[in-house]
Structures are given as C-alpha cells and as structure tokens.
Amino acid sequence: MTTPNRIILDKYLRHNKKFPHIWCPGCGIGIVLAALLRAIDRTGWTKDEIVLVSGIGCSSRAPVYVDFNTLHTAHGRALPFATGIKAARPPLKVIVFTGDGDCAAIGGNHLIHACRRNIDITTVVVNNYIYGMTGGQQSPTTPEGMKATTATRGVIDQPFHIAELAASAGATFAARSTTYHAKELESFILKGLEHKGFSLVEAISQAPVCFGRRNGMGDPVEMVKREKELAIPISKTAGMTFEEKKDKIVTGIIEEREAQEWTDLYAGVKKTAGEE
Amino acid sequence: MKKKNGQLLQGNEAVVEGALYAGCSFYAGYPITPSTEIAEVLSVKLPERGGTFIQMEDEIASIGACLGASLAGAKSMTATSGPGFSLMQELIGYGVISEIPMVLVNVMRFGPSTGLPTSPSQGDVMQARWGTHGDHPIIVLTADSVPETFEMTVKAFNFSEKYRIPVILLLDEVVGHMREKITIPAEGEVKVVDRLKPEMPPEWYAPYADTNTGVPPMAAFGDGYRHHVTGLVHDAQGFPTAKPEEVVSGMDRLFSKISRGFSEVCITEELYCDDAKTIILSYGAAARSARDAVETMRADGEKVGLIKLKTLWPFPKAALEKYEKSVENIIVAEMNRGQIYREVWRVARGRWQVGKALAPYGNMLTPDMILDVARKVTK
Amino acid sequence: MYKEIRLAGSGGQGLITAGVILAEAAIAGGHEAVQTQSYGPEARGGASRADVIISDEAILYPKARKFDIFLALTQEAYDKFRGDLAPGGLLIIDSDLVDPAGDRGAKAVPITAAVKKNFGERMPPNVMALGVIHGMMPLVAERKLLDTVKNRVPQKSVDKNVKAFKMGIKMGKAFVDQPAAPSNDADL
C-alpha cells in the first residue's frame, strides 16, 4: 500500500521553512525529490538518522526544504562531506542529492573515488543536461549538438553517462530512470537506499526554462513525454551499438553486485589495530 | 613507552601527539611533502584508538571530509603544504561561515606552485589570513619547537571547538621535520576543550543563534537536533537569508565571537622586552634564530628584546603596543619577503622604526642574518 | 657539552636515521639534542644531510654551523655540505668514495667497503658510520647508543647492525692515533 504524496510531503517537508521553493515552474527536481521522500518513507528510517547532503546548483537546494539533518555544501563537494559524515559516524544514513554539473563536472573526481571506495552512501543525481542555476550553460551531460548559453552553436563535447561511469568506477549499485517513470525511479532509489555499499541513481529530468526552451523542446509536459519516447529498458539494448543507443535514455539497473563496504572494512582495521 | 628524560620526536609527530591528546578522532588527508608524516603516523594510531583515518583523492576532498566528520561530532584534522593549502582555501571559508570546528595544519614549504618542495619557508602567512574569499575571521597559530608544536596543536583544537571555527596551524619545514626532546604531558595536565552541545529541547534549538559568548552550541548530525547547514548566508535557524538585518547580525557575530576572545587567542612570548630599545619580532623556526641573536646581543650589553608570536592571526598587536613608549625599533625576522613585516609596519603607524631580517630563498634564517640587521639599527 | 655533528651522504644510506639514533641516545643520556635534515626530492640518491646538536643547555638555532664532526660518505654530499670545522673538529670521509682534495687531517675510513664486505650489498652504512664516530669521539655513552640502535633499526637486522656498530668502533679507534691522511697539496 503506497502512502499518498500529500501525507509524505506533510511528514517530510520542513514546516518552519518559508516556501515557495526556488525551482522554475515545470522543473523536474520536485518529482525526483518526491520520489526520494517516498522511497525513504518505505525504508522505515527515522528522520534523525538520515543526513541529506548536497552541493551547489538547482537540485542541491533540495535539502533545505526537508526535515532531516541537512547539509548544503560547496559546489561539487557533497560527496567528500558525505564521506566524512559516514566514515565518522557509520550508523547514519547518508544520502547525497546532486545534479549533473555538481556531480560529474566539478565533483567528478570525488564521484569516481566515492564509487571506488564503495562507501555506503546513496547518491541521487538529477540529470537535466544543463547548469540551471547560472542560467543554462552546457554541462558534462549535455548531448552533442544541443544548445546552451556557452554553446550557442551546439555542444561539441561528448556527454558523460553518469550511471555507467559510476558502475565502471566501482559503484556496486547504479541505475537510471526518468521523471516520467516516477514510480520506477522511486523503486530504484529504494533499492539504492537499501543497498549496502555505494549506490547511484541517475534521474533524467526536465529543465524547461534553461534547457528545453533553448532547444525547442516545448513545454514541460512535452519534455516529459520526450523522456518516455527516448527511454529504452536496458533489457532491450542487447546487441545495440553505441551509435544506436547514443540518443536514447537507457533505463534500468545498470549495476547491482555485492562487495565489501568501506565502513565495514574500516571497522575491521580498527579491530585489528586495537588488538595489536 | 614513557621515558624519564623525555623522548625524541619530530615536529610532525608532535602534531599527531597533540591532536590525539586533544581528542582528535578523524583525519582525512592527501600526501604532500613536508607534512606527510602526520598522515602516516595517524593512519597507524587513529584506528588503535577507535578513530578514523581516510586518505582522500585530493586536498579539497580532505578538508570536505573533515568538515563532514566534524558535523557528525568528530574532532577532525587535515594536514598539507602549500599546493594543497591553496586547494583547500574555498572550504576554509565554508567552515568559517558554517561555524564548523576543525584543525588544518600547513607545514609550509618554499615557493609558489611546486616551488622547492623540501625547502623551508614561511611564505603562506598572508594566504592563511586571506586565502579564502570574502571577509572572514580566522585563527592561525604557529610553533617554533617540537614541544611547542604539541602545545599549539592542542590549543588549535581547543580554539576551534570553543569558537566553532577552523583553526590553521602554520608550521614550517624546519619545525615539521626537526626532532628534539619532548615530554608529553599526562592526561589531564593540559586543558582540553570540547564544543558546547545543546541542552534545550530539539524544537527550541537554533544552530546559529547569538549567545552570551557569541558562539552557539553545536549539535552533531544524529543527535536528534535536526538542522540545516549551508554555506549561504543564513539566519539563526541555518536557513538561507538575504534579509539585510539577518545578514548584518549573522556576519557581525562571526567576527565578534572571535574578537571577544582576542586576549585568550593572541598568544606571544616576550624576552628581555622591559628595557629593550629594539625588539626582534619573530615566529616559527625563525624565532629560534631570533632568540639566538637576542642572547648574543644581550651578552654584548645591547638593550634588545624578543617578541615571539605563537598566534599569527588575529595579529597580536597588543603585545607590541605594551612597549609603545619604551621601544624605538622593531625588527621582523621571518622566512619570506616580509609578510608579517607589512603587518607590523601597518600596526606601527609610525610609532616605531620597523626593519626586517628576511630569508626569502627557501633557506633557514640564521642568527647572523638577524645580527647583521639588528646591529646596524642599534649602532 | 656542546657538539655539532653533520652526517652527509646520499638518500638511502640511512644517515638521517643515524642522526636520529645519535640524538635519541643523547636524550636518553640526559642531554638536550636537536636533529634536523636537508634533503632533495629523491627517496634514493641525491645529496642529503642530517645535523645533530647535542648540548647541556637549550638549543636555539637547530642547524650545525661549526662542526665538531663532519662525516661525508659521498663526494656530492661532501662538496655540497662541507662547512667549517670547530677547533679540534673531526673530518671523517669514506676513503673509497670521497676525495677530500686539500683537506688536511681528514680521517679516511673505508666504511662503505667494510659494510659491503661483511654484511653484503643491501646493508646501509649508517650504523657502522655511527660506530666509527663513536670510536673517534665518544659523544654519548656506548650503552645508550647501542640500545638506541637496537630500537631504531628493523627488527630482523638488529644483530647485523650491532655487529656493524662494534666493528665501526674498532675502525674508529684505530684511526684516532694514526697520523692524518696524506695531504694532496703536493699534487697541486
């Protein structure tokens, strides 16, 4: 039985925080945040044991609105702060909420090393292909040919595929879904939260004002529909070439495996050191 | 093992001993000469005491992890040298505005960029003061010997906990790598300060509210006091604000909580200053040479005194102003091109002649170099 | 007592460890001691030096200025770190690796060769060098030095190092009463 959104919002939003939020009308970040809150609700964790950490950018403004221990760090640095919290106090449930620029550009090195450590942190990346807060500059995930204020003739750099990047860097859970597939997104986030080790869920999202408008993608509804059209489950990608997959959104669980987790391993180091 | 005559320790090892004495339970760092021994020794000792050591991917991640660990309740520390110190600058400001205690040790090496990685220098004095962007208060301590390194490391933790601010311990390669005798104080012999924790019910807790000391109590994540921490200018609840009255009161409190503690935070040592016409002012390794030079000149009957800075920032100007009437010359002895010299010159406002004895090439300032300058002045 | 000692050689010869042992033994013997170093970026090779000052009073300037003992195990280190000897100071060089040029009175001891011959290629010459120094000019009690050597060298090589230390003392003592090495002045 799923809890209605209204109950979830009432339970987890901060009542002493002045709304409205800063996101543009039609932005997908709220859909991703709601999916996260529903997933958290299904874990049964208490609000006191959860730490929600973010960097800088539109999506990184999310923590201020929700009633956990919340930490809005510097640009790109959510994962180092989160690593320090988790390593110093392993019982805490540490979740990072970040965006494509924050996580994969300025924070890219931290991302791959957090994956490599397999430390028990769940990272939710809102990938809307653009720097929204600064008004629409190209990000490391902007598809080739798309326009941004710093690529008015079209992006020429190859984009990162964040979930695959995380998996190849050692993340033991990596998945991708979209704001159209909000229920699937919620279930992937829940799997990530319950996974022991570093988990990353990439949420493809719409930025109608800073990205869609400049690229002729129509209103927010059309943008979300486009996600549905481009989505292809990973189960159906067998045999597809890189070129064939390039313009699709591959959804599903990209990596899921068991491996020893950092704080568990370090507990072992402490035990050995204490006995020496 | 306790030895009756004390033990031989390196300055960097004294940082470790001081940190553990002060209750440090978390270290995140990245290797860099000449600070690396601090990480190496803590990687062994922290887990033995139930603490956590983690080697991060770079210095930005190192200070980020320390700030995170501190928010989770751990006394945390990182150590680095010039290039790493430059990388850490942004998050020093984060720690200042979000009022997160931690200790950052910079064992200074010579030169901009890679410079002379194994040569001593005191070239980061101004960077320690102004390296991170925006107006901000900071506490920067230093030491000139192995025992003093221990002492000032404990003080660095104490100040960071008491005032909720990152404290920088600025050592130089000479002190960091020098080995000399130290007797580690017994537990309880030196005061250790822990951050004030909230005692009110969680719903009353305002993490950035003004108090009678200006320093609000600090709850750790997981303690039941759910709150928001941000690098944005924030109100007493920690929520972002741009309201002028909240910006004014929040930012003013950041400064005033430190300025209220000036008399405690600004630490100096004075020698033969009472009748001195000339004072040599120095700090760190250079202060050893300065003391040597002062002793030599005193033996020659010259009225020379020494002020040794153990706190660099806030600049302990009261220690100089005490001798406003009696002193004619101040000579600043340091291993750079005159960073504290400029500060003394600023503070002097023409009240004293300010001279300098400098070693700006990655070499140790010698007593002779100071004597050359001082004797010209006292002639 | 006030003595300044400089141990100069190349990275990997263990001279910083030798300096640490000397300073630690001095402290164990109730003296003040300071050890500093100067080294290059290399972990192996390059000229490096360790300075030790042993005193019965507080030591201010921590680097050696007028050496009571200057030991050089490589030519590069000799050339780079050679400074003034204090009156009565000892100049000790490795007889096979250092040409003291015009330095009269250099005690040329085949330290490296003796270490290699007796303990093999992989044994560093540092502890034998300490023995040689002690044989020529005892600074701290032999017992304290020996204890410190045992504490500071790797566990598995304690016996070898104790032997090397004692051998060094004999070599050093043998040199004390010998005439100075022939000066090269005649060749110039």
Side-chain angles (χ1 to χ4, degrees), chain C residues 51-73:
Chain C
D51 285 0
V52 179
I53 301 177
I54 302 172
S55 170
D56 288 328
E57 286 171 25
I59 299 159
L60 299 176
Y61 185 68
K63 307 253 175 188
R65 286 172 285 186
K66 291 219 184 272
F67 316 132
D68 295 283
I69 294 169
F70 176 72
L71 169 100
L73 295 187

Side-chain angles (χ1 to χ4, degrees), chain C residues 128-151:
Chain C
M128 186 179 282
L130 275 181
V132 170
I133 290 170
H134 187 77
M136 291 188 189
M137 189 190 281
L139 300 164
V140 287
E142 192 169 319
R143 185 79 245 153
K144 299 280 184 204
L145 262 176
L146 202 58
D147 287 348
T148 316
V149 166
K150 287 178 187 166
N151 273 332

